[in-house]
Structure formats: C-alpha cells, structure tokens
Amino acid sequence: MLKNKYIRNGILILSGVLLSVSFYAFIAAKRDIVPFNLERLARVTGKSISGETLPNPNKTNELYDVGGTDLGIAWKMGNGKVGFFFGDTYGNDFIVVNEGGPGKAGNWRSNVLGLSTDKNLEDVLTFDGMIAHQIVPSPHITDGTGSHTTIPTAAIHAAGADYVHYMDVRKWGSIGSWTTNYSGLSKSTNNGENSIKCNEIRFGALSNFAEVTYAKKDGFVYMIGTVPGRWGSAHLARFKESDILKQAAYEYWSNTKGWVKNDEKSADALIEAPLGELSLAYNKKFKRWIITYLNEKKAEIVLRDAENITGPWSSEKTLVKATEYPGLYGAFMHPANENSDEFYFLMSMWKPYNVFLMKAKLKFAD
C-alpha cells in the first residue's frame, strides 16, 4: 500500500519521494480520451439528395463529374494544401440505388484527389479544386483475374514528394472482405496531378500492411496496417522519412524484440481485430496518439488513444454508430485536429455512396 501520499505545489509526493511529473500529467496519463458532441456538418462530395439540408459547397457532381465516391484520406501536401484521396469514383450520372454503392454509373475512376486550403472547417470544407482524372491506374479487369481497381489507403508527404499507399484489388468479396494482388506506393512530384508507381515498395496479398495509415513524428513515418478487408488486427512499422522507398530499412514492432529491421513477419498484433479503414494522428494538445477505424462487428467507427505508439492502447470509444448513420465507414482525420480538441474527420456512407464532414469534441474522461 502507498503511504504518505500528498500534493505540494501541484507535484505528487509518494512515500517522501518527489516525482518529476505534474499532478495533472500523472492524472491525465491514467485517463482515456473520449469523443462527444458528434455532428454531421456538411456534404463533401456528390449531389444533395431530396430533403437533405446539409451544406454542399463543392458540388463535385457539377464541377468535376464526381457524383459518387468514398474515403477522403486527408494529408498535408508539400505545397501547403491538404489533399483528399477518394476511392472508386463515378460520374454525374450516378444515382443512389436501393442497396447502396456505385451501382451502374459511368466514368469509373479508381481514385481522384481533392485539394483544399480551407482552414475554417466550422463553416464546412471547401475545395480549391479537384484532380478528377484517375491518378493511380488500373485496367479495371472485373472478372477476378487481374486488377479490378486501385484503392488508396493512406497518403503522406515525405522526402520531397507526395506518396499514396494503394491496394491493387483483385476482387471484392463478402461484407468487409476482399482479395488484393499486392499493395504498394505511387509517387507524385507535381502536387498530385500525376503519379508513378514505385516498384521499390511491395506488400503481398496477405500482408499485414496491405492497408495502412501513416503519421509523422520526430523524423519517422509511423505506419499501422492490416490485412486486406476489415477483419484483421493492427500491426506497426516505421521508417525514416528519407527511407520511404527503401523497404529494407523499414522497422517492425515486435512485442518481445522491439523494433526489428527488414522482417515484416516480426510485427506482432498491436490492436486486436477487427479494424478497417484506419486513420492515425499525434495530437499535440493531448500529447497522445489517436487512431480511428471501423469496427465492422460493432458497426461503429471507434477511437483509441495511447501515450506511446507501441501501446498500450486504450479501449475503444464509440465515435459514430451505424444505427444513426447507416452504412458508415472510414473516419479519416483532418490535419486540423493535430493541436486541438476540435475533431474533424471525413466519413463515408454506403447508400448515398458519398463523403461527409463530421465533427466531434475530445476530452479526457472524467
């Protein structure tokens, strides 16, 4: 039992020993971050549907022939803008069908890119423009024998270029399950206008890094990944920004060995399954790592936090429920979150097959 416990000038004393942490830091370290006051602020993509009162500032169906799309993976680009990578995208003829998803709309592109300098997200998210041609190519072989589509899973600016991690999908399966050929990187040196696939980086069809999320801190890019689909556990890797194209320099986190270089199989489970559509950030206000993802089993987008990227990670906190937003997936954090308790993210919904701007507040648990 601890004895002689008291506070002096905001410093915690235990058994006569002065600890070198403030009382607030001691308490905060024991408390999880919780989200509250969830709001849906605006439509980001597509055409407003009948009866919808949400602002729709981008009118992507009219201006860019983007009538249906999903994801919206956000990152700080090298040119100072925020980029938003979207997944399978369809034209202005897109019509919502009963079961949701892309239906039979035309002008199919595997991925497109939104660009924004908007820093005031409280009054919706406005694009400066879109690069609405397909950026990472796919031949769209739909019979399950080749590349069906190339879907972005994460993006980062590193070593003077913008990179997108994508999965080359062979075929879509049952709910939350699909088969990939491989996953890799594509590089843009002209602010996303075009990109070139990087043959130096390749993750196999069953890799724990088939789908990933990136975040930068202290000269490293941290990468948390899963197998294809939404049913896998999370695994951790890192590399120096300058080594993004040197896969042999990647280090993987082992719970028993620590960081292990160039041995992907050494990456132990960091967070237990199921996880889908990951988004990772370091929040400077709370001094915590935050990860969001879809828990397909719960039909909820959830949030966890950790003081250290290697864990331990907190329990899941519900961010959004499918009972309130049916067909929800993806919770891609906006970079504006990184020094704030104002928490903005982009969320997809399957039936409208479009992307919406969401907001919540964050606090330490009571």
Side-chain angles (χ1 to χ4, degrees), residues 22-243:
S22 70
F23 177 59
Y24 175 79
F26 176 82
I27 296 298
K30 302 299 182 182
R31 297 158 66 191
D32 293 352
I33 292 174
V34 293
F36 64 104
N37 285 359
L38 178 73
E39 301 176 73
R40 183 164 63 161
L41 296 182
R43 176 181 280 269
V44 176
T45 62
K47 179 182 179 180
S48 298
I49 60 177
S50 177
E52 185 176 283
T53 59
L54 291 169
N56 185 6
N58 298 311
K59 295 181 172 58
T60 62
N61 60 308
E62 298 176 13
L63 299 177
Y64 311 107
D65 201 28
V66 174
T69 192
D70 66 352
L71 305 182
I73 298 161
W75 85 103
K76 287 183 178 178
M77 301 179 72
N79 61 2
K81 295 185 178 183
V82 175
F84 300 88
F85 251 117
F86 297 95
D88 280 325
T89 298
Y90 300 87
N92 191 39
D93 62 342
F94 172 79
I95 299 174
V96 177
V97 294
N98 290 334
E99 64 270 21
K104 296 181 180 180
N107 196 13
W108 175 19
R109 291 143 287 172
S110 291
N111 43 81
V112 298
L113 178 61
L115 305 169
S116 178
T117 53
D118 189 356
K119 296 182 180 179
N120 184 14
L121 300 185
E122 186 59 43
D123 66 346
V124 308
L125 170 61
T126 303
F127 289 163
D128 298 357
M130 292 192 78
I131 299 172
H133 59 252
Q134 184 170 264
I135 299 166
V136 183
S138 167
H140 292 166
I141 300 169
T142 60
D143 63 1
T145 64
S147 174
H148 184 113
T149 188
T150 45
I151 301 298
T153 79
I156 195 81
H157 182 80
D162 291 293
Y163 292 88
V164 57
H165 178 286
Y166 67 93
M167 55 180 176
D168 191 290
V169 177
R170 189 176 186 87
K171 61 181 178 180
W172 299 111
S174 57
I175 295 175
S177 300
W178 47 84
T179 302
T180 61
N181 296 304
Y182 68 93
S183 296
L185 288 183
S186 193
K187 173 182 178 180
S188 175
T189 57
N190 60 357
N191 301 315
E193 187 67 33
N194 302 101
S195 74
I196 300 173
K197 289 183 178 179
C198 305
N199 295 326
E200 301 95 323
I201 302 296
R202 184 66 61 100
F203 293 101
L206 299 178
S207 171
N208 286 317
F209 299 93
E211 298 176 55
V212 308
T213 179
Y214 291 130
K216 293 195 289 189
K217 190 174 187 293
D218 301 330
F220 283 95
V221 175
Y222 291 92
M223 177 175 73
I224 295 181
T226 68
V227 294
R230 297 171 176 158
W231 298 105
S233 55
H235 301 256
L236 174 64
R238 72 176 185 182
F239 51 87
K240 294 179 181 179
E241 289 188 44
S242 57
D243 289 338

Side-chain angles (χ1 to χ4, degrees), residues 288-320:
R288 297 284 180 91
W289 290 96
I290 293 175
I291 191 169
T292 58
Y293 56 90
L294 173 67
N295 182 320
E296 184 79 87
K297 185 176 181 179
K298 289 183 176 179
E300 294 181 356
I301 292 172
V302 299
L303 176 151
R304 294 182 190 251
D305 71 273
E307 287 188 274
N308 300 304
I309 189 72
T310 54
W313 286 82
S314 73
S315 61
E316 292 181 343
K317 307 300 184 298
T318 299
L319 187 56
V320 196

